[in-house]
Amino acid sequence: MFGAVTRAFGAIKVNLAALLGELWMRSLRVRIDAPADFGPGILGCWHRDLLVSFAAFKGRGVHALVSESGDGEFLARAIARMGFRVSRGSDTHGSLNVRHLVQTLKEGGTVGMALDGPRGPALQVKPGTPWLSKVSGRPIWLICPRYGAHFRLKTWDNFVVPLPLSSIDIRIKYFCQEETKKQKE
């Protein structure tokens, strides 16, 4: 019985955190600048920019890949409340789940995932997103935010937390992995 009570209390905490996360993301004022040919494909962002990426595409039916971790559980619940379709996994652990996104792309939908995965290293593209683009024939669109008021967490990716009600400008660009490699050199 004690285990059931602990699980129930844990579920309440996760649901409450998801609700607060949803309200936080909905409070952000996001402006998007997209190219004329922007359309269905893969929305790629760096892990540090997940919150603003979800805020920008709320209510658009994007199919998102979210980590199977505890943090991922909170995030999955929050974004599901915001109109996202959620699959759990990553391109390394649970790589079979990446394949579920192919169907969405082939049906003309849009999917979203962190380019550097749930554990990094930061700003280094994992193989799942390029594989998904190749298999589906859909482009990768890079989400490039410019933040207003925010702070960074001391995590592996320097996760960015925009302050509630802050403004964020997002530029969407066609992602080319070769250009990213050149920029790092």
Side-chain angles (χ1 to χ4, degrees):
M1 179 167 154
F2 183 71
V5 171
T6 302
R7 283 191 299 278
F9 184 66
I12 291 169
K13 288 194 308 189
V14 169
N15 285 330
L16 180 60
L19 174 63
L20 294 173
E22 174 197 4
L23 293 173
W24 189 313
M25 286 186 274
R26 285 187 185 277
S27 80
L28 301 175
R29 293 172 285 186
V30 180
R31 290 181 295 272
I32 299 174
D33 177 23
D37 61 344
F38 176 68
I42 302 156
L43 296 171
C45 69
W46 300 116
H47 192 272
R48 68 180 182 196
D49 299 320
L50 280 175
L51 287 181
V52 73
S53 298
F54 289 130
F57 290 93
K58 62 185 177 275
R60 297 184 187 202
V62 173
H63 188 170
L65 183 67
V66 178
S67 166
E68 293 175 322
S69 69
D71 290 343
E73 180 62 26
F74 144 73
L75 191 58
R77 289 185 192 204
I79 67 171
R81 295 171 57 99
M82 294 170 58
F84 286 82
R85 182 174 162 206
V86 179
S87 287
R88 302 296 300 277
S90 69
D91 66 359
T92 51
H93 180 260
S95 60
L96 292 176
N97 294 339
V98 174
R99 292 183 170 94
H100 294 290
L101 303 177
V102 173
Q103 188 62 35
T104 297
L105 290 166
K106 290 190 175 189
E107 292 170 355
T110 299
V111 303
M113 58 196 301
L115 296 168
D116 47 1
R119 290 189 204 100
L123 307 178
Q124 291 186 22
V125 179
K126 296 286 182 89
T129 308
W131 176 87
L132 194 57
S133 177
K134 183 177 180 180
V135 168
S136 68
R138 294 291 184 175
I140 301 170
W141 300 104
L142 180 62
I143 298 171
C144 305
R146 196 172 80 217
Y147 292 93
H150 69 282
F151 63 92
R152 292 182 186 269
L153 300 179
K154 293 184 184 206
T155 56
W156 66 266
D157 61 349
N158 291 316
F159 197 84
V160 179
V161 180
L163 296 181
L165 304 172
S166 62
S167 295
I168 297 133
D169 293 319
I170 291 182
R171 185 167 177 221
I172 297 176
K173 303 190 295 189
Y174 178 76
F175 179 77
C176 179
Q177 193 167 359
E178 285 72 31
E179 286 180 23
T180 302
K181 287 178 185 174
K182 287 178 189 173
Q183 289 174 354
K184 288 182 182 180
E185 293 174 352

